[in-house]
Amino acid sequence: GTGNTFLYNAGTDTIDISIAGGSGGGGGGVSETETSVSTTSATSCGTFDKTEKRSAAILAQITQGSAYQIGRYLLIHDGTTVTTIEEAAVATGDMLGTFEGVINGDNVEFRVTMSSSSSATVTTKIDSISIP
């Protein structure tokens, strides 16, 4: 794609590949969204258009005081039902919350349900894939 580079260094026999970021996906171009949460009710922490995007890979980090959690999630939908799997998650102590995807109107919403209502910040990076 435009802005991508591929560099071969014959002296060290190494390859350097740089993928240019763009809005909404790939190559480090995925923007972070921060959501303040202070409830144990399911709270949206990111969305994308269900008619334009079919699936997503999501990094989600929770910061609650001096406790932290990060997880990697895969999400796919058929326009009605969302399937979300947790690929991996780790926390500095107990897990702070759980994540799920749901359909909400014209959007797929990625939601967090916190274990405690103490003030927290949820940071997400949603890398969604277009419907061909």
Side-chain angles (χ1 to χ4, degrees), residues 105-121:
D106 292 334
N107 292 316
V108 175
E109 200 169 76
F110 189 63
R111 294 180 177 174
V112 63
T113 301
M114 298 296 296
S115 300
S116 161
S117 61
S118 296
S119 180
T121 300

Side-chain angles (χ1 to χ4, degrees), residues 60-109:
Q61 177 179 284
I62 301 172
T63 303
Q64 191 172 45
S66 60
Y68 306 93
Q69 173 183 325
I70 188 162
R72 187 173 54 218
Y73 304 84
L74 291 179
L75 181 149
I76 193 164
H77 73 91
D78 61 7
T80 304
T81 303
V82 180
T83 301
T84 307
I85 64 161
E86 181 180 85
E87 282 190 311
V90 64
T92 55
D94 292 335
M95 298 303 275
L96 302 173
T98 59
F99 292 92
E100 67 175 338
V102 297
I103 299 287
N104 185 3
D106 292 334
N107 292 316
V108 175
E109 200 169 76

